[in-house]
Amino acid sequence: MRIKKSIRDNAMGYSIKNMEMAGDTASEEVAVELTQRDPTLRQLTCFKEVAEHLSFKSAADALSMSQPALSIAIRDLEISVGTVLFHRSAHHVRLSAAGEAIRPKVEWLVNSHRVGMADLRRLLKYKVEALRVGCMPAVAHLVAPWAAQWHKDHPLVLLEWSDMHANGIGAALASGEIDIGIGLNPAPDESLESHLVIEDDIVAVLPAGHRFAPLKSLPWSELKGESLVILATQGSQQMATHVLEQQGVAVARIQFVEHVASLAAMLDSGLGIGLMPRLHAGGLHRADLSVHALRSPTLSQHIYLMRRRASSQHQALIRSCWDFLREKSLPAFATDFASSRAGL
């Protein structure tokens, strides 16, 4: 039996150049064993960290292991799956096409193991299961009361709530970090089941005494020459600036802020008209600031209830909460939200 392989070592790891196997039947069996052995959790965790850092040194530091040990783990993983996962040079590391393809699945496997082990320890110690819900903060005040109502009927379930960026919820579901999410789902993802909850439109917020304050709504064209303060939420700032450019509306100035309180302070100081998603406007709680629909065109972003389609160790639990939110609670606050829009 003869196993021949060419490996180039360097400071960043190694790259498999080729592998040739020749000899009798025994050598063929070794080849099958090398390429069909299931990757270990350690190898997958190493891959996840290298893919995140694109540096063997940084990944080794994050894992509290030596760089040679990390390189060996990646080498063994590449032999196991039968392909190169990283392209390496003296100063750079990047994912191969195969590495890019398997990265979401590897992240889900590693995160699912971590979450599953935490659930197992909790179940053995406290006899309770956990359900993880990720929600964009703007809709938390609408979803939380209904989630609490479901929890009353499932008191032995540990309900874990996480505030998340709206665009990151789909990724958190795909990676196994959360079980149910409420947020934006900008790109089609066959691994996720989604249910449209509401369409959140971009509105104008005006200080008391502004000449547009008596209007129930105003077209984007009326913003010509105005100074604007735009809340920099996921997607809304790009949508607003795009429509201004598309409509040929030349404004005096645009400033972006990250917090509702900052936007309100700037309006109080007379620094412009505020633009923000309607859901975020609900957090103003200011009688001296008025909310106005923007039209011609109406801009909106879709808020979804989402969960992963793949089976889970507590799929029945996820389905129970999902069905409750989808069939009972979400229609209720969608109706309330529509009523608030009509009331402007």
Side-chain angles (χ1 to χ4, degrees), residues 57-92:
K57 183 180 184 303
S58 298
D61 291 342
L63 293 167
S64 299
M65 64 189 300
S66 70
Q67 189 173 327
L70 176 62
S71 295
I72 291 171
I74 297 297
R75 179 200 64 191
D76 291 344
L77 175 61
E78 289 182 318
I79 293 175
S80 178
V81 300
T83 188
V84 172
L85 300 175
F86 294 98
H87 295 305
R88 309 157 179 83
S89 65
H91 302 289
H92 300 285

Side-chain angles (χ1 to χ4, degrees), residues 201 203-204 215-217 278 290-293 338-344:
D201 58 321
V203 297
L215 302 177
K216 184 176 181 180
S217 65
R278 186 182 299 273
S290 55
V291 177
H292 303 257
S339 298
S340 69
R341 293 177 61 179
L344 288 181

Side-chain angles (χ1 to χ4, degrees), residues 205-222:
V205 181
L206 304 174
H210 194 282
R211 69 180 187 279
F212 291 149
L215 302 177
K216 184 176 181 180
S217 65
L218 62 151
W220 286 83
S221 58
E222 289 291 344

Side-chain angles (χ1 to χ4, degrees), residues 41 48 104-119 132 172-179 308 310-314:
L41 177 64
K48 178 178 178 292
K105 179 63 72 174
V106 170
E107 290 182 346
W108 177 76
L109 286 168
V110 173
N111 288 330
S112 293
H113 180 270
R114 174 180 55 80
V115 170
M117 290 305 299
D119 288 345
R132 298 170 177 84
L173 284 165
S175 67
E177 294 179 30
I178 58 175
D179 302 308
R308 186 177 173 85
S311 59
S312 168
Q313 66 271 22
H314 53 292

Side-chain angles (χ1 to χ4, degrees), residues 7 15 20 39 44 67 72 78 180-182 199 225 331-333 341:
I7 299 177
S15 60
E20 299 176 359
L44 296 176
Q67 189 173 327
I72 291 171
E78 289 182 318
I180 293 175
I182 301 94
E199 295 184 15
F333 79 67
R341 293 177 61 179

Side-chain angles (χ1 to χ4, degrees), residues 5-264:
K5 56 184 178 180
S6 174
I7 299 177
R8 182 179 63 209
D9 295 312
N10 55 52
M12 300 304 296
Y14 65 91
S15 60
I16 300 176
K17 299 295 290 182
N18 57 66
M19 179 179 289
E20 299 176 359
M21 303 191 67
D24 54 18
T25 305
S27 68
E28 296 176 0
E29 292 175 354
V30 172
V32 171
E33 181 181 357
L34 283 172
T35 57
Q36 292 188 353
R37 182 181 300 161
D38 287 340
T40 66
L41 177 64
R42 181 174 182 270
Q43 292 168 355
L44 296 176
T45 302
C46 289
F47 171 86
K48 178 178 178 292
E49 290 299 325
V50 177
E52 179 177 342
H53 293 89
L54 293 180
S55 163
F56 276 74
K57 183 180 184 303
S58 298
D61 291 342
L63 293 167
S64 299
M65 64 189 300
S66 70
Q67 189 173 327
L70 176 62
S71 295
I72 291 171
I74 297 297
R75 179 200 64 191
D76 291 344
L77 175 61
E78 289 182 318
I79 293 175
S80 178
V81 300
T83 188
V84 172
L85 300 175
F86 294 98
H87 295 305
R88 309 157 179 83
S89 65
H91 302 289
H92 300 285
V93 176
R94 62 185 177 88
L95 283 162
S96 68
E100 290 282 5
I102 71 168
R103 184 181 180 184
K105 179 63 72 174
V106 170
E107 290 182 346
W108 177 76
L109 286 168
V110 173
N111 288 330
S112 293
H113 180 270
R114 174 180 55 80
V115 170
M117 290 305 299
D119 288 345
L120 179 61
R121 287 190 289 268
R122 185 183 295 108
L123 184 61
L124 291 173
K125 185 173 182 179
Y126 302 108
K127 303 298 188 291
V128 296
E129 290 187 274
L131 182 71
R132 298 170 177 84
V133 177
C135 184
M136 54 185 290
V139 298
H141 66 290
L142 300 174
V143 180
W146 293 100
Q149 185 173 329
W150 175 86
H151 189 242
K152 287 180 180 178
D153 295 329
H154 302 79
L156 296 182
V157 176
L158 178 62
L159 184 62
E160 295 186 352
W161 184 279
S162 298
D163 280 344
M164 291 188 165
H165 290 297
N167 282 336
I169 291 175
L173 284 165
S175 67
E177 294 179 30
I178 58 175
D179 302 308
I180 293 175
I182 301 94
L184 303 179
N185 186 20
D189 189 336
E190 294 183 356
S191 70
L192 300 181
E193 180 179 354
S194 59
H195 176 76
L196 179 62
V197 178
I198 53 176
E199 295 184 15
D200 186 18
D201 58 321
I202 307 299
V203 297
V205 181
L206 304 174
H210 194 282
R211 69 180 187 279
F212 291 149
L215 302 177
K216 184 176 181 180
S217 65
L218 62 151
W220 286 83
S221 58
E222 289 291 344
L223 300 178
K224 182 178 180 180
E226 297 287 339
S227 293
L228 304 181
V229 182
I230 300 179
L231 187 67
T233 60
Q234 291 86 357
S236 61
Q237 65 206 69
Q238 292 89 347
M239 291 167 57
T241 53
H242 176 73
V243 75
L244 289 170
E245 181 179 350
Q246 188 181 54
Q247 298 286 317
V249 179
V251 298
R253 185 182 183 187
I254 297 179
Q255 298 185 82
F256 298 100
V257 296
E258 295 186 358
H259 301 285
V260 173
S262 299
L263 185 144

